Amino acid sequence: MTLQLRGDSASGMFTQGRSTRWAPAGSRFTLLEQTASLDAVSTVLRSPDGLQIVHRVELVAGGALVFRCTVENLSEEPVVIEALSSFCLSAITPFARDDASGRLVLHRMRSAWSAEGRLVSESLEDLHLERSWLGVAGMSERFGQVGSMPVRGWMPFVAVEDRAAGVTWGAQLAWGGSWQLEVARLGDDVALAGGLADREFGHWTKMIAPGQSLTSPDAIVAVVSGGVDELHDALLEAQDGSAGDAPGEEADLPIVVNEWCSSWGNPSHESLVALADRLVGSGVRYLVIDAGWFRPEGEKDWARAHGDWIPNTEQFPSGLKGVADALRERGLIPGLWFELETVGSDSMAYQCVDRLLHRDGVPLTVGSRRFWNLARPEVVDHLVDTAVELLEGAGFGYLKIDYNETIGLGSDHADGLGEGLRQQILGSHRLLRRIQDRMPDLVVENCASGGHRLEPSFVGRTAMTSCSDAHEVVEIPIIAAEVQRVILPRQAQVWAVIHAEDSPDRLTYSLAAGFLGRLCLSGALTDLGEEQWALVRRAIHLYRKTTPILKRGTSRRFGQRGHSWRRPEGWQAVRRLSDDGRRALIVLHSFRNAPNRAEVPLEGGGWSVAGVLRSTGGDVSVASDGVSFEDLVDFEGVVVELIRGC
């Protein structure tokens, strides 16, 4: 592990400003005790000056391990921590007697708004991480994110693959604030480490008073025989337990309709009832009212008015209860959008400066937003009461929590800006827990400008997570396919926005993308012609048949789509195999300059087609070794359900 304490000497080896990996504090700790069981190992270390480290490793589903580290101050003097890692794996690779030249590859995932989850694989040589000739220079590639949007720039994931040995080590951090990961090397071997962003990287320090302690965020760690796909399988299975804690309504992965791409911020009682009438008997269960239901009177922009949460009486003359009742009468569970953690510049809450975050003594303002101070219990109480009163009073069963700005470096705190940010993230977790304690059957969707909170600590606290803000663009299936690497498909909500002017090819392209996660329909559903609506109904029927495969299974990606996500060429397919190996789902998308034919391999024989969604009429055939898709055209989507005979 890495522990840097204020007042200690720096590690040397030319590492200041680049890494705290070799901080000398750890060298003064000695083993006090170690206990082990079948599913956990706890190691206790102590230093002569009264600090104690408890390092715990727990075995979870799929063979992954959860690492966490606690520092306890048993001395009579306060100490200041400047760096604390959650995990460290060293001695990579044990399969080579030398520095494993040419065989180690670093895997990371870049991320940006509406472009989440690009896998980047680079040799250690390309990263200039070859050891020095004498082994006295500390080499490090440190990366991460600073702020309250943890998936911004990078996803909190890292892996090193030994391609000669066929073994991959990796980790995923479960933290919603500033974090860092690094691959480091001094001699022949390589180390992976990560946790909270430290003083150098994330402006974070923490004073630990006598008798107090600090625990790092969890890190999910795995080592597998295979490559990065097999590693992601193990890390995803570790998330399965928290996904199973969702309300019972989520058991069969219901389909969502969100009206955002129908009204674009101008929902009304009339439009929602018309939409609900269209959905009666369709198999859709959730209908979510997105932003704009609190639009202020006059010319003010709803996007700057959130924070007071006063429903617009012109849009909803019967109130929110009136529209929620109307939706329930039509067999739908109504949902409502909030952005609880921030306030807009046109809201009254924007002026409640004593309850908002500050930086350098002034309210922390980013664009048109400020942030509630969630470290204050009375602020959390206010937000919980506000949300629950509206949701419970009107009869809503679904809550979409959005989050559309980052705090950045952090906020004022006695220990510094980074600790102010850490306390805010812990407050966000408490806010979610408190709402769910009050409304245990509430289905909660985690959204942060789409996918900016695609990490286990937020995903695991909610039933679903928006995988992206990509609504109508062609890269939706690419994003959804890549996001399956870090979040279970049963929790990854994917937009399928459809319009009356869409061709049958375009309709199936959009609908098929929804089969890569949780299908979320939007757009001009009430304007569709009968044939178009019949196609949507076919997709809904097939989706409901295939949800067991989405719920538990493993995914693999195939095809060639070029380097550009915005202008993809070729094709991609995602093959998802059920846990029992008897069912499979293939979702194929073609792009510009699509080939006439594409093949997706299958494991074993005895497969037959149980269902197809395709608009062009092209052939889909099954052979002993795979599925062939004939007569592909540019920008179409195909979904195939397969079963294996007895």
Side-chain angles (χ1 to χ4, degrees), residues 305-320:
H306 67 286
D308 298 334
W309 308 118
I310 301 170
N312 183 293
T313 56
E314 291 184 0
Q315 294 167 249
F316 299 99
S318 301
L320 291 179

Side-chain angles (χ1 to χ4, degrees), residues 505 590-591 594-596 614 616 630-637:
D505 290 353
S590 61
F591 309 119
N596 183 63
R614 189 175 188 183
T616 63
E630 308 287 347
D631 303 318
L632 291 176
V633 300
D634 288 2
F635 296 104
E636 71 163 310

